[in-house]
Amino acid sequence: MSQSYRTKNINSFLNKSKIINFKFNGESYLGYEGDTLASALIANGIHLVGRSFKYHRPRGFLGVGVEEPNAMVQLHEGDRSEPNIIATEVELVEGLIANSQNCWPSVKFDIGEVNNLLNRFFPAGFYYKTFMWPKSFWMKIYEPIIRRAAGMGVASLTPDPDRYEHNYEHCDVLVVGSGPSGLASALAAANNGAKVILAEDKAHFGGSLLTDEVMINNRPGTEWAEETIKHLKSLPNVILKNRSQVFGYYDHNMTVMFERVSDHIENPSKYAPRQRLHYIRAGEVIISTGSIERPLSFGNNDRPGIFLASAANEYMKIYETLVGKNPIIFTNNDTAYLSAIEFKKNNISPLVLDIRDSSSGDLVKEAQSLGIEVRFSSGVANTKGHLKVNKATIGKLNSSKDSFIDLEEINCDCICMSGGWTPTVHLSSQSGNKLKFDKNIDAFVPDKKKQKETTVGSANGSFTLKQSLEEGFQAGFDLSNLITLKNIKTEVPVSKESKTETHEKIWCMPLPDGENPKRFIDFQNDVAVSDVELAVREGFKSIEHIKRYTTLGMAGDQGKTSNLNGLQQVSNIQKKIVPEVGHTTFRPPYTPVTIGTIVGREVGNHFQPTRKTPTHKWHEENNAVYTNAGLWLRPRYYPRGNESMFEAVNREALNVRKNVGICDVTSLGKIDIKGPDSAELLNRVYTNAWMKLPIGKARYGVMLREDGMVFDDGTTTRLSENHFHMTTTTAQAANVLAHLEYYLQVVWPELKVNVVSSTEQFSGAAVAGPKSRDLMKKLFPNIDFSTENFPFMGVKDAEIVGVKAKIYRISFSGELAYEVNVDSNYGLFMWSEIIKAGEEFGIQPYGTEALATLRIEMGHVSGPELDGRAVPYDIGLHGMVSQKKDFIGKRSLEKLAYNDPERQTLVGLVPVDKKTKIPEGSHLVEDDKVKLPNPKLGHVSSSCWSVEYNNPFSIAVLKDGKNKIGKKLFAVAPLKNISILVEVVPPHYVDPKGERVRA
Amino acid sequence: MLEIKCPFCGKRSQNEFAYGGDATVKRPALGQEVSTKDWDDFVYFRDNPRGKHSELWHHISGCRQWFKVSRDTATHEIFKTVRLEEEL
Ligand SMILES: [Zn+2]
């Protein structure tokens, strides 16, 4: 039965010369270029696609585009496998593989279908009611069962091999949707000189013009559409994007659109992304998103083979596909007759059941004149057919249309239903537009706008072609003219269309006597009329509550086909009119968007920038293991041979203590400060005094936030009277710069100072250890390195083999140390020169681990101690706080709590067994056996293996720490079940008097 | 995403900027006696109005200038952006 459901009529959209092979549920099928997965399956007579979410009922296709709630498939296999893809949105491509989801073991025999037989146990709010108690059952019993039973598709566990891109666009007018009103808007705006983007979700531009039988300027609507698109394409100020869905509308006219770039191409270009996300900032947005047909509710209206009438029409006209050969058309309005007529043109005689008592609309008359049987005051009560509809119970309605007079069962292979049209107001609602109810069309339309957006055409409830064109041309001209002021008007073409009569306000059929079949409203979330009735009966009044209790209109579908039928049902029961019931909020995305598209290129190494120092190549060649310090890659340690990290770190640290080591300190933040008030600025941002710092001298400084907490520390050097070089920690570099800019620009604009980051301009190497002076003498033979001439905190200009350098005698390791800075371009050169000259002194590079060991042994505070919760006193920095001057945060230090005599302070800890390492973050307690909560006295901030004493050593903040030296406490880490007896010692474990740095 | 007009660079997307809080807060002058209440008001307490709000923004990925913005906190409408020395 290969493609036996193709129409006799042909069109220009399918390319029948290109046959495409694809697989569905393991079977091979054929389709044509231009098909969607949906149209190709239907052409092959395949209607059973998947199982429904809650009851596992067999489901097929309802629609033909984004409105499709049922036909979700698992697409592709392996690392490209993708769940929950709407089959109507998938263009057929050679070798496509699709599978049903939400069914087990197969779509035809699904075990979960017992849910359907037991459906009286799955009413609205079922999950809430059943699984409330006992709480402990949730994790172990209920949740796994629900997940297994309610699982949708399965995400691939391997990385996505495809590439996705982000793009930023700006335009004067964005037109969303290329139906008649969208084309009119784009044409009018473009002719008036505006920069226009026209976005169309489908592969073809034209919207309803491609399927409606209308005339524009005395030619078929399709021809006008084609001509208009050709003209727009020729204009340099227009971007046309098909396969592009605008799915989100955010503040300040920022809209987001995703484009399916390569999905439909058999062998996509290596250089093209799979999908692209466009951020479009538009001056004006014209929403011409059209409308979606409303389903009707009747018994078992969810069987495969039951379609929207417009979908059946589009399958025939665009995809040359018949949704059936023995159709029933069931409608409450005129537009469904288009499908009836199209069937007839393909020599198929449908039966039309019209809820109305009569209609003399043009289409109705045409259908009758073609010999199509039309029964008025009639409807469908129920259907039969396990995996596809094969019978319908139909009958005449009584005069009040709340029961059937007589019923008969007839054969059919499809039912095409129409409950009128719902304007697609999702985007205008997302923009903040309040909606209003239009009782002529029984639907919500945009009302008061919040942003620069205008809705036209059927999205605005204007269902005639004439109105759509007029609104489109008007909006396109008016809005573009606000921007271009060119006053170039485009003439509105003459249009001709069928006259229609009004619809009947009935969307739900009465139940047949003595039967209680489910009448579905929301197909995706399996919500039936009875669920809404139950929710209202149980006291839910607000539509937002009913939505959540029944799940009506939620998730990926966003109520595209179900929203109004749900509201109508609630209003029927509550005996209200729909606008009194109100409506729920539409949220982005309008249609599901792949995670890959949202993420774009920001995956793996591109997740964030990687910053490498100029010396990186050397580290690489010398076996460095890296750590991330902010965005920087810093060598953590340099293992030799089979060394473990522990061994390597101890070797590196010990070599600094005994000989000399070199450490790449380029990543430290550097800020160049210039201007006559530079010293004054430093005096205000640091806690200590700066006015009298001599030229050529460095000083250590501590900065606070206004709340008194330590913000950052570092050394700053006076290079000349009005020129300073500040260093910050690697982590706070950007924040310190922003902090200085804030005070200079906002708080003290009278200060004449300029600050600029110079982190990237200089490459730095710390040379530390007792032999560092000898090495420096060798490198800089013209400089006198005696302490008298070059004391601790001194600074000298120098040259290293002809390259200008600055030498700072500063130390983080606590050893005699120098830091050499050169222009970044010479960073690697300087490093190599130092290594070469240092060989005879036993120089070794050391990484951040050894650096940490050295500073912890010396009791120097760093990031773990400067955690934003410490005032200077807490971490032994109170000596740095000037009593004589004011500075940022000083007033906060007067707070009573910050002067509590028992306040925590910095201490050292040594395990009593001298062996057990103390995990960072451990809490300090008096007794590790008492009943919880055990009062916490402090916490361990940094831990290392002391290379000086060859035992573990930690620093910690401890309540009343200075009076606890010599005391024994427990360091506990309850999650790891660790308790270690520790002795409190002074934090300066090595060289407590600081003699080495001054040597 | 908001579109903010930097008084120096022109209209740019929000992701180039950092928010800097209430623009009407004045830091007490240095070296002056400040009551605990006044100091706490300055450090901790901010109004959280629904509607028009004068605030500071920093063009952090641009010219690095701080400037003042008048914005509606409910609708995000931006009425005006000015340099620090100008009145909103
Ligand atoms: Zn700027």
Side-chain angles (χ1 to χ4, degrees):
Chain A
M1 58 181 219
S2 170
Q3 305 201 57
S4 56
Y5 286 84
R6 290 293 184 186
T7 56
K8 297 219 160 44
N9 300 333
I10 49 165
N11 63 42
S12 56
F13 297 111
L14 272 196
N15 175 12
K16 285 195 170 157
S17 63
K18 169 92 174 141
I19 294 172
I20 290 177
N21 297 279
F22 71 103
K23 270 190 178 172
F24 180 66
N25 285 340
E27 299 278 329
S28 295
Y29 299 97
L30 301 178
Y32 299 122
E33 188 175 78
D35 263 323
T36 61
L37 176 59
S39 67
L41 283 172
I42 296 167
N44 282 285
I46 306 297
H47 286 259
L48 177 62
V49 183
R51 293 278 172 163
S52 72
F53 184 57
K54 202 155 64 177
Y55 305 120
H56 286 240
R57 289 169 70 103
R59 289 282 166 82
F61 306 95
L62 177 77
V64 66
V66 286
E67 73 283 3
E68 176 58 50
N70 287 329
M72 288 193 290
V73 295
Q74 181 93 26
L75 212 57
H76 311 304
E77 286 179 335
D79 50 10
R80 285 195 165 82
S81 182
E82 240 184 328
N84 307 332
I85 302 297
I86 304 170
T88 52
E89 291 272 282
V90 177
E91 288 179 64
L92 205 62
V93 62
E94 181 63 31
L96 187 85
I97 295 172
N99 283 290
S100 294
Q101 57 186 36
N102 206 17
C103 55
W104 185 80
S106 80
V107 70
K108 286 184 182 161
F109 175 75
D110 177 76
I111 282 178
E113 202 174 349
V114 292
N115 289 3
N116 189 26
L117 302 175
L118 301 175
N119 71 46
R120 63 197 177 91
F121 297 115
F122 278 84
F126 165 74
Y127 295 131
Y128 295 104
K129 287 173 190 157
T130 315
F131 300 128
M132 288 298 279
W133 182 91
K135 209 172 154 191
S136 62
F137 267 42
W138 250 114
M139 297 257 288
K140 288 184 184 128
I141 298 173
Y142 297 146
E143 204 181 326
I145 292 174
I146 295 171
R147 287 206 183 280
R148 174 110 182 104
M152 306 289 275
V154 186
S156 164
L157 295 175
T158 48
D160 187 340
D162 289 317
R163 202 157 60 81
Y164 303 83
E165 269 178 7
H166 285 185
N167 177 46
Y168 291 81
E169 286 289 353
H170 296 261
C171 66
D172 298 329
V173 180
L174 167 68
V175 181
V176 187
S178 72
S181 60
L183 285 178
S185 306
L187 184 61
N191 286 347
N192 197 26
K195 191 185 168 195
V196 175
I197 296 175
L198 175 61
E200 169 58 48
D201 168 49
K202 298 205 172 189
H204 306 290
F205 294 98
S208 64
L209 290 174
L210 305 183
T211 51
D212 286 357
E213 304 284 340
V214 295
M215 301 292 280
I216 299 177
N217 284 344
N218 294 318
R219 285 154 58 205
T222 44
E223 282 181 25
W224 182 78
E226 211 171 295
E227 192 180 281
T228 305
I229 290 150
K230 211 172 138 196
H231 172 67
L232 289 171
K233 275 184 180 159
S234 73
L235 297 176
N237 53 328
V238 180
I239 296 173
L240 286 123
K241 283 281 181 193
N242 57 340
R243 302 186 172 93
S244 296
Q245 178 80 56
V246 176
F247 66 83
Y249 198 133
Y250 302 90
D251 289 306
H252 295 188
N253 266 21
M254 167 65 85
T255 61
V256 185
M257 170 173 94
F258 90 95
E259 180 188 7
R260 304 183 299 275
V261 182
S262 303
D263 284 344
H264 63 291
I265 299 170
E266 188 181 336
N267 294 306
S269 156
K270 194 171 124 189
Y271 304 104
R274 181 188 164 212
Q275 294 175 352
R276 200 180 271 136
L277 193 73
H278 300 263
Y279 294 92
I280 304 172
R281 183 85 70 178
E284 296 282 346
V285 177
I286 296 180
I287 300 171
S288 48
T289 44
S291 50
I292 289 173
E293 199 164 31
R294 275 171 84 164
L296 294 168
S297 299
F298 50 92
N300 293 305
N301 61 336
D302 64 325
R303 292 191 195 281
I306 302 178
F307 284 83
L308 294 172
S310 58
N313 186 35
E314 189 167 332
Y315 278 120
M316 287 186 274
K317 285 191 175 134
I318 307 271
Y319 301 105
E320 301 180 29
T321 293
L322 295 165
V323 301
K325 295 177 180 175
N326 186 16
I328 293 173
I329 312 286
F330 178 28
T331 184
N332 71 355
N333 67 86
D334 277 8
T335 59
Y337 285 81
L338 265 178
S339 312
I341 293 164
E342 191 62 23
F343 271 116
K344 191 71 187 173
K345 285 182 185 165
N346 283 287
N347 296 334
I348 291 167
S349 291
L351 168 65
V352 179
L353 303 174
D354 196 323
I355 297 174
R356 299 172 298 179
D357 296 330
S358 70
S359 169
S360 53
D362 291 348
L363 291 170
V364 180
K365 281 192 276 187
E366 187 186 342
Q368 285 169 322
S369 73
L370 287 170
I372 295 170
E373 185 185 352
V374 178
R375 297 187 196 172
F376 287 105
S377 316
S378 297
V380 178
N382 202 351
T383 69
K384 282 187 182 165
H386 179 47
L387 299 176
K388 190 180 171 216
V389 65
N390 57 23
K391 284 186 176 65
T393 310
I394 62 168
K396 268 239 166 327
L397 291 155
N398 66 356
S399 58
S400 51
K401 293 182 180 164
D402 54 8
S403 73
F404 287 101
I405 299 170
D406 54 55
L407 287 172
E408 60 173 314
E409 197 172 271
I410 61 163
N411 290 328
C412 66
D413 67 351
C414 67
I415 299 174
C416 308
M417 57 184 168
S418 176
W421 295 82
T422 307
T424 303
V425 294
H426 294 66
L427 280 183
S428 55
S429 176
Q430 285 179 25
S431 81
N433 193 311
K434 293 273 173 274
L435 305 177
K436 69 178 177 208
F437 192 75
D438 179 344
K439 56 183 191 302
N440 291 322
I441 61 166
D442 282 295
F444 286 95
V445 292
D447 188 13
K448 235 181 134 185
K449 64 171 96 172
K450 198 184 114 183
Q451 300 201 40
K452 291 180 178 174
E453 48 89 21
T454 303
T455 303
V456 295
S458 65
N460 193 33
S462 308
F463 288 152
T464 68
L465 177 64
K466 189 164 180 289
Q467 277 174 300
S468 289
L469 291 173
E470 281 168 2
E471 282 179 18
F473 277 103
Q474 192 70 45
F477 170 77
D478 288 348
L479 301 177
S480 61
N481 216 42
L482 294 174
I483 298 162
T484 68
L485 308 170
K486 285 193 174 166
N487 266 314
I488 304 168
K489 265 203 164 167
T490 308
E491 204 182 326
V492 184
V494 183
S495 58
K496 218 178 115 206
E497 62 196 304
S498 321
K499 272 199 235 14
T500 55
E501 289 216 342
T502 186
H503 64 283
E504 173 103 41
K505 294 175 186 285
I506 291 176
W507 294 270
C508 181
M509 284 292 98
L511 289 168
D513 279 344
E515 287 180 68
N516 193 18
K518 281 209 173 287
R519 295 169 292 175
F520 282 93
I521 296 173
D522 183 332
F523 297 92
Q524 186 168 91
N525 296 296
D526 256 0
V527 181
V529 171
S530 53
D531 295 310
V532 175
E533 287 169 346
L534 183 68
V536 176
R537 205 158 61 231
E538 291 187 352
F540 288 91
K541 289 192 179 115
S542 149
I543 189 64
E544 291 283 3
H545 289 156
I546 293 169
K547 166 180 168 177
R548 278 151 187 86
Y549 195 56
T550 60
T551 69
L552 175 76
M554 308 236 306
D557 188 52
Q558 286 292 297
K560 291 182 187 74
T561 51
S562 62
N563 214 302
L564 275 169
N565 281 349
L567 294 176
Q568 188 67 50
Q569 202 57 45
V570 174
S571 65
N572 288 353
I573 303 166
Q574 293 182 339
K575 301 213 169 6
K576 284 180 180 170
I577 50 170
V578 171
E580 286 174 357
V581 174
H583 62 86
T584 54
T585 312
F586 298 97
R587 299 186 196 284
Y590 171 60
T591 51
V593 182
T594 54
I595 299 283
T597 308
I598 292 169
V599 172
R601 299 295 305 275
E602 292 167 24
V603 288
N605 282 338
H606 295 289
F607 181 65
Q608 56 182 21
T610 302
R611 304 180 76 179
K612 295 175 182 173
T613 70
T615 323
H616 190 81
K617 189 168 157 272
W618 192 94
H619 303 320
E620 202 98 286
E621 288 164 3
N622 286 272
N623 208 26
V625 175
Y626 298 97
T627 184
N628 294 305
L631 300 176
W632 291 97
L633 275 188
R634 293 192 72 182
R636 194 174 178 197
Y637 58 100
Y638 303 80
R640 292 178 174 180
N642 293 326
E643 263 181 349
S644 67
M645 173 170 144
F646 181 74
E647 290 162 346
V649 171
N650 284 357
R651 170 181 49 75
E652 290 170 15
L654 206 57
N655 191 56
V656 174
R657 293 270 184 254
K658 286 199 171 137
N659 299 310
V660 59
I662 179 169
C663 181
D664 187 351
V665 293
T666 303
S667 69
L668 282 187
K670 304 174 200 76
I671 297 170
D672 200 67
I673 300 173
K674 267 185 184 164
D677 294 320
S678 298
E680 177 63 27
L681 172 72
L682 296 173
N683 216 39
R684 294 178 184 192
V685 298
Y686 281 130
T687 60
N688 51 342
W690 285 82
M691 298 308 284
K692 289 179 184 147
L693 177 68
I695 292 167
K697 279 275 155 54
R699 184 166 283 174
Y700 175 68
V702 174
M703 292 180 194
L704 307 187
R705 309 189 308 219
E706 291 285 19
D707 66 359
M709 298 296 156
V710 177
F711 173 38
D712 197 45
D713 69 344
T715 55
T716 292
T717 306
R718 189 168 214 161
L719 300 173
S720 70
E721 179 64 23
N722 297 327
H723 187 192
F724 290 80
H725 171 80
M726 175 185 274
T727 67
T728 74
T729 59
T730 300
Q732 295 285 21
N735 297 337
V736 170
L737 183 65
H739 180 75
L740 297 181
E741 286 168 337
Y742 174 81
Y743 282 94
L744 285 172
Q745 295 175 29
V746 180
V747 185
W748 302 311
E750 68 277 10
L751 290 186
K752 292 194 173 79
V753 185
N754 221 333
V755 291
V756 66
S757 166
S758 57
T759 302
E760 288 81 9
Q761 274 61 43
F762 299 104
S763 188
V767 179
K771 294 184 183 166
S772 60
R773 178 178 284 131
D774 294 335
L775 171 55
M776 296 306 279
K777 279 183 190 162
K778 185 178 168 193
L779 279 165
F780 305 98
N782 299 330
I783 292 179
D784 173 3
F785 281 93
S786 68
T787 290
E788 298 72 48
N789 183 58
F790 199 163
F792 181 54
M793 289 289 174
V795 180
K796 298 265 183 228
D797 283 312
E799 265 189 16
I800 181 162
V801 199
V803 173
K804 265 194 180 169
K806 253 192 185 16
I807 307 169
Y808 304 82
R809 189 173 162 189
I810 54 178
S811 175
F812 191 55
S813 57
E815 293 296 330
L816 172 69
Y818 301 87
E819 199 181 302
V820 189
N821 273 14
V822 293
D823 180 316
S824 284
N825 294 326
Y826 298 105
L828 181 59
F829 171 77
M830 164 190 71
W831 182 276
S832 309
E833 288 297 315
I834 299 173
I835 292 281
K836 208 160 65 188
E839 236 166 80
E840 63 173 288
F841 305 103
I843 196 167
Q844 290 179 20
Y846 63 102
T848 56
E849 287 293 330
L851 185 70
T853 296
L854 297 165
R855 71 99 188 162
I856 294 167
E857 279 188 318
M858 289 285 176
H860 288 175
V861 292
S862 187
E865 288 76 35
L866 312 183
D867 63 355
R869 296 182 296 176
V871 294
Y873 177 84
D874 300 346
I875 48 177
L877 294 173
H878 44 293
M880 294 290 300
V881 177
S882 164
Q883 299 305 318
K884 292 184 190 144
K885 57 146 197 173
D886 198 359
F887 53 85
I888 292 169
K890 186 177 188 185
R891 178 62 180 80
S892 290
L893 298 181
E894 291 174 28
K895 277 185 176 298
L896 277 180
Y898 298 168
N899 292 285
D900 181 342
E902 288 208 339
R903 202 170 165 83
Q904 60 190 18
T905 188
L906 199 70
V907 296
L909 301 173
V910 177
V912 171
D913 69 2
K914 302 261 172 140
K915 281 202 296 256
T916 315
K917 285 188 253 180
I918 311 164
E920 289 169 353
S922 299
H923 281 194
L924 296 171
V925 296
E926 195 101 32
D927 181 352
D928 67 342
K929 300 276 184 309
V930 301
K931 215 175 141 238
L932 297 175
N934 194 348
K936 174 197 163 193
L937 303 175
H939 73 271
V940 178
S941 53
S942 303
S943 290
C944 72
W945 185 273
S946 167
V947 290
E948 187 96 1
Y949 295 102
N950 208 23
N951 58 250
F953 175 72
S954 295
I955 52 179
V957 286
L958 175 64
K959 195 175 175 187
D960 195 21
K962 61 181 184 307
N963 293 318
K964 292 214 170 76
I965 305 294
K967 220 177 152 209
K968 292 198 173 60
L969 296 170
F970 291 93
V972 294
L975 283 178
K976 297 176 189 160
N977 227 353
I978 287 173
S979 176
I980 303 161
L981 188 64
V982 296
E983 186 184 341
V984 181
V985 299
H988 298 259
Y989 197 40
V990 171
D991 187 28
K993 288 182 183 153
E995 286 162 345
R996 295 184 190 177
V997 287
R998 293 185 168 78
Chain B
M1 205 188 318
L2 308 186
E3 187 176 46
I4 301 168
K5 188 183 166 194
C6 169
F8 304 91
C9 309
K11 281 184 177 175
R12 302 295 178 90
S13 260
Q14 184 184 346
N15 49 7
E16 290 188 14
F17 298 90
Y19 177 68
D22 188 336
T24 62
V25 172
K26 286 268 171 295
R27 190 196 190 280
L30 282 171
Q32 273 187 354
E33 198 73 12
V34 189
S35 73
T36 300
K37 189 191 171 297
D38 287 350
W39 183 256
D40 286 349
D41 278 349
F42 158 65
V43 176
Y44 298 106
F45 295 104
R46 296 291 181 272
D47 289 336
N48 185 18
R50 185 183 200 278
K52 219 174 203 184
H53 188 234
S54 299
E55 53 203 25
L56 293 169
W57 286 78
H58 190 193
H59 196 186
I60 202 152
S61 302
C63 63
R64 295 203 66 93
Q65 294 299 303
W66 288 86
F67 59 95
K68 291 191 280 192
V69 176
S70 172
R71 182 179 67 101
D72 190 308
T73 57
T75 65
H76 294 309
E77 185 180 350
I78 291 179
F79 306 105
K80 207 174 173 190
T81 60
V82 296
R83 299 175 181 213
L84 290 169
E85 66 273 19
E86 294 169 341
E87 288 301 313
L88 263 178

